[in-house]
Amino acid sequence: MRVIRACRELGIPSVGVYSDVDRAALHVLKADEAYPIGPAAAAESYLNIEKILDVAKRCGADAIHPGYGFLSENAKFAQACADAGIKFVGPSAASMEMMGSKTRARREMERAGVPFVPGTAHALESVAQAWDVAAKIGYPVMLKAAAGGGGKGMRLVDSAKELHTALRAAQSEAQRAFGDSEVYLEKAILNPRHIEVQVLADEHGNMVYLGERECSIQRRHQKVLEEAPSLLVDPDMRRRMGEVGVMVAKTARYCNAGTVEFLVDQAKNFYFLEMNTRLQVEHPVTELITGLDLVELQIRIAAGERLPFRQQDVLIRGHAMECRIYAEDPDNNYFPSPGKITMLLTPAGPGIRLDSGVYEGCTVPIDYDPLLAKLVGYGQNRAQAVSRLVRALEELFVAGIKTNIDLFRRILADEDFRSGKVDTGYLERLLGSDPGEGKSEEKSEGKEETTEVAAIAAAVFAVLDSTSKAAGDGNGTSDTGVPAPSGWKRAARGEGLM
């Protein structure tokens, strides 16, 4: 949907592809043309290069934008597009190959003088080698899949006696997830922050950085909430990180949009982590603080245009924050929650942006990533962005499936988050502070007995709602002075509308 919107603004017809279970997906309904490419299994549809290129040839497409999933970082796909005479909206296959292998990227960055976390620049060849390197750099250490991402093939190792088992487990998981068992080792930075820099490069050698994004709020190495700019980063640090980001892009002979990721320790030292050779899920926060349309720029760069601005023209204004709304069940260890969306109420108003792939009545399949939408709040400052997001989350309602909406309400109300005291372990600590977290059996006890009562209450509140708003509901006020919404009313309405 994001790419379709950019194409429409540029006057470019859009073509979507879909698997059997996505026949009624939102992008299929909104694209100018849409073509089926196979069964639900991604290997037979969205990961099938031949089928996608066949559609491109049949409809006469000049270019393919890969989005930010499936084949978006697949060098073979980028090369196949080039061989077929179709423009790939992204970097070259050579740049992807260099940055796609974490070990090769580390070697290239070491030669370029880019700061990175101490560790191995090659895949581990034996347990003995792992023991030797770990002893030199000191525990704890982190094992990582050379071809991986998203937390797959990663193991934190606290001592030498754990290393052998952890290495075998990481290699096995890497092989299953990526078809490549290569694993490397690096020093584990305790309680780091995960901060990334957005870069843009055209085909004429012009490169810029567009500030940073704070991505420290993660669960199992998957980002949950992102914001820009980072509270940790001052103008001097922003400049230094941006210049290193551009250095990484130049070393990779990079073109189009890319993201350079860093780990930042408690002394504000930053270390190169990896480069994502695609558009990021969290790109809207950068768009809001810079006023730039990254997808439009991607397409223009692919068409051979020069960047229309220089580094000194990039200005950062305000603050933006993104919540990734997932179809997942918080009461069942955040397992995916597929099914039909029976009701959908979406937020609006000043400073709110909703990038969504769903609609009321659509069915969320079990086959793919459970991301439903990205809710983004923008304000003149961080406090206003948070306040607007809190308001928008109260307006957002999804029935028929479980979502993680309540998780964001909890995060945004947390004092540590509001003061910017976050790192990559923040969310696990927050969830761990609730002894009932993830225990669905205990939490659901008595739920059935209260459903009928909740439905009756929902009807009563629906009638009295306007009166209660005028008189005040007696539930106190938030720290912004606005009457606090009633959790009971929200839950009752939800049960009554199901």
Side-chain angles (χ1 to χ4, degrees), residues 354-384:
L354 184 69
D355 284 15
S356 172
V358 296
Y359 58 92
E360 188 173 303
C362 77
T363 298
V364 179
I366 188 65
D367 309 87
Y368 313 118
D369 188 278
L371 180 65
L372 301 176
K374 299 178 292 186
L375 179 61
V376 192
Y378 174 78
Q380 296 180 10
N381 51 51
R382 189 173 188 263
Q384 187 178 53

Coordinates of all heavy atoms in Angstrom, one line a residue, residues 354-384:
L354 N -1.5 6.5 9.9 CA -1.7 5.1 10.0 C -1.4 4.5 8.6 O -2.1 4.7 7.7 CB -3.2 4.8 10.4 CG -3.5 3.3 10.6 CD1 -2.8 2.8 11.8 CD2 -5.0 3.1 10.7
D355 N -0.3 3.7 8.6 CA 0.0 2.9 7.4 C -0.5 1.5 7.6 O 0.0 0.8 8.4 CB 1.5 2.9 7.1 CG 2.0 4.2 6.6 OD1 1.3 5.2 6.6 OD2 3.2 4.2 6.1
S356 N -1.6 1.1 6.9 CA -2.3 -0.1 7.2 C -2.4 -1.0 6.0 O -2.4 -0.5 4.9 CB -3.7 0.2 7.7 OG -4.4 -1.0 7.9
G357 N -2.4 -2.3 6.2 CA -2.6 -3.3 5.2 C -3.9 -4.1 5.3 O -4.0 -5.1 4.7
V358 N -4.8 -3.6 6.2 CA -6.0 -4.4 6.5 C -7.2 -3.5 6.4 O -7.1 -2.3 6.3 CB -5.9 -5.1 7.8 CG1 -4.8 -6.1 7.9 CG2 -5.7 -4.0 8.9
Y359 N -8.4 -4.1 6.4 CA -9.6 -3.4 6.4 C -10.7 -4.2 7.1 O -10.5 -5.4 7.3 CB -10.1 -3.0 5.0 CG -10.3 -4.3 4.1 CD1 -11.5 -4.9 4.0 CD2 -9.2 -4.8 3.3 CE1 -11.7 -6.0 3.2 CE2 -9.4 -5.9 2.5 CZ -10.6 -6.5 2.4 OH -10.8 -7.6 1.6
E360 N -11.8 -3.6 7.5 CA -12.9 -4.3 8.2 C -13.4 -5.4 7.3 O -13.8 -5.1 6.1 CB -13.9 -3.3 8.6 CG -15.0 -3.9 9.5 CD -16.0 -2.9 10.1 OE1 -15.5 -2.0 10.8 OE2 -17.2 -3.1 9.8
G361 N -13.5 -6.6 7.8 CA -14.0 -7.7 7.0 C -13.0 -8.6 6.3 O -13.3 -9.7 5.8
C362 N -11.7 -8.1 6.3 CA -10.6 -8.9 5.7 C -10.2 -10.0 6.7 O -10.4 -9.9 7.9 CB -9.5 -8.0 5.3 SG -8.4 -7.5 6.6
T363 N -9.5 -11.0 6.1 CA -9.0 -12.1 6.9 C -7.5 -12.0 7.0 O -6.8 -12.0 6.0 CB -9.5 -13.5 6.3 OG1 -10.9 -13.5 6.4 CG2 -8.9 -14.6 7.2
V364 N -7.0 -12.0 8.2 CA -5.5 -12.1 8.4 C -5.1 -13.5 8.4 O -5.5 -14.3 9.2 CB -5.2 -11.4 9.8 CG1 -3.7 -11.5 10.0 CG2 -5.7 -10.0 9.9
P365 N -4.2 -13.9 7.4 CA -3.8 -15.3 7.3 C -2.7 -15.6 8.3 O -2.0 -14.8 8.8 CB -3.2 -15.3 5.8 CG -2.7 -13.9 5.6 CD -3.7 -13.0 6.3
I366 N -2.6 -16.9 8.5 CA -1.6 -17.4 9.4 C -0.2 -17.5 8.7 O 0.8 -17.7 9.4 CB -2.0 -18.8 10.0 CG1 -1.0 -19.3 11.1 CG2 -2.0 -19.9 8.8 CD1 -1.1 -18.5 12.3
D367 N -0.2 -17.4 7.4 CA 1.0 -17.8 6.6 C 2.1 -16.8 6.6 O 3.3 -17.2 6.3 CB 0.6 -18.0 5.2 CG -0.6 -18.9 5.0 OD1 -1.8 -18.5 5.1 OD2 -0.4 -20.2 4.9
Y368 N 1.9 -15.5 7.0 CA 2.9 -14.5 6.9 C 3.1 -13.7 8.2 O 2.4 -14.0 9.2 CB 2.5 -13.6 5.7 CG 2.1 -14.3 4.5 CD1 0.8 -14.1 3.9 CD2 3.0 -15.2 3.8 CE1 0.5 -14.8 2.8 CE2 2.6 -15.8 2.7 CZ 1.3 -15.7 2.2 OH 1.0 -16.4 1.1
D369 N 4.0 -12.7 8.1 CA 4.2 -11.9 9.3 C 2.9 -11.3 9.7 O 2.1 -10.8 8.9 CB 5.2 -10.8 8.9 CG 5.7 -10.0 10.0 OD1 5.0 -9.1 10.5 OD2 6.8 -10.3 10.6
P370 N 2.7 -11.2 11.1 CA 1.4 -10.7 11.6 C 1.3 -9.2 11.7 O 0.4 -8.7 12.4 CB 1.3 -11.4 12.9 CG 2.7 -11.5 13.4 CD 3.5 -11.8 12.1
L371 N 2.2 -8.4 11.0 CA 2.1 -7.0 11.1 C 0.8 -6.5 10.4 O 0.6 -6.8 9.2 CB 3.3 -6.4 10.5 CG 3.4 -4.8 10.5 CD1 3.5 -4.3 11.9 CD2 4.6 -4.3 9.6
L372 N 0.0 -5.8 11.1 CA -1.3 -5.3 10.5 C -1.1 -3.8 10.0 O -1.6 -3.5 9.0 CB -2.4 -5.3 11.6 CG -2.8 -6.7 12.2 CD1 -3.8 -6.5 13.3 CD2 -3.3 -7.6 11.1
A373 N -0.5 -3.0 10.9 CA -0.5 -1.6 10.6 C 0.7 -1.0 11.4 O 1.2 -1.5 12.3 CB -1.8 -0.9 10.9
K374 N 1.0 0.3 11.0 CA 2.0 1.1 11.7 C 1.3 2.4 12.1 O 0.9 3.2 11.2 CB 3.2 1.3 10.8 CG 3.9 0.1 10.4 CD 5.1 0.3 9.5 CE 4.7 0.9 8.2 NZ 5.8 1.0 7.3
L375 N 1.1 2.6 13.4 CA 0.5 3.8 13.9 C 1.6 4.7 14.3 O 2.5 4.4 15.2 CB -0.4 3.4 15.1 CG -1.1 4.6 15.8 CD1 -2.0 5.3 14.8 CD2 -1.8 4.1 17.0
V376 N 1.6 5.9 13.7 CA 2.7 6.9 13.9 C 2.2 8.2 14.4 O 1.2 8.7 13.9 CB 3.5 7.1 12.6 CG1 4.8 7.9 12.8 CG2 3.7 5.9 11.8
G377 N 2.8 8.7 15.5 CA 2.5 10.0 16.1 C 3.6 11.0 15.8 O 4.7 10.7 16.0
Y378 N 3.2 12.2 15.5 CA 4.2 13.3 15.3 C 3.8 14.5 16.1 O 2.6 14.8 16.2 CB 4.2 13.6 13.8 CG 5.1 14.8 13.5 CD1 6.5 14.7 13.4 CD2 4.6 16.1 13.3 CE1 7.3 15.8 13.2 CE2 5.4 17.2 13.1 CZ 6.8 17.0 13.0 OH 7.6 18.1 12.8
G379 N 4.8 15.1 16.7 CA 4.5 16.3 17.4 C 5.7 17.3 17.3 O 6.8 17.0 16.8
Q380 N 5.5 18.5 17.9 CA 6.6 19.5 17.9 C 7.7 19.0 18.8 O 8.9 19.4 18.6 CB 6.0 20.8 18.3 CG 5.0 21.4 17.4 CD 4.5 22.8 17.9 OE1 5.1 23.4 18.8 NE2 3.5 23.3 17.2
N381 N 7.4 18.2 19.7 CA 8.4 17.6 20.6 C 8.0 16.2 21.0 O 6.9 15.7 20.6 CB 8.6 18.5 21.9 CG 7.2 18.8 22.5 OD1 6.4 17.9 22.8 ND2 7.0 20.1 22.8
R382 N 8.8 15.5 21.8 CA 8.5 14.1 22.1 C 7.2 14.0 23.0 O 6.5 13.1 22.8 CB 9.7 13.5 22.9 CG 9.6 12.0 23.1 CD 10.9 11.5 23.6 NE 11.0 10.0 23.7 CZ 10.7 9.3 24.8 NH1 10.3 9.9 25.9 NH2 10.8 8.0 24.7
A383 N 7.1 14.9 23.9 CA 5.9 14.8 24.8 C 4.6 14.9 24.0 O 3.6 14.2 24.3 CB 6.0 15.9 25.8
Q384 N 4.6 15.8 23.0 CA 3.4 15.9 22.2 C 3.2 14.7 21.3 O 2.0 14.2 21.1 CB 3.5 17.1 21.3 CG 2.1 17.4 20.6 CD 2.2 18.7 19.7 OE1 3.1 18.8 18.9 NE2 1.2 19.6 19.9

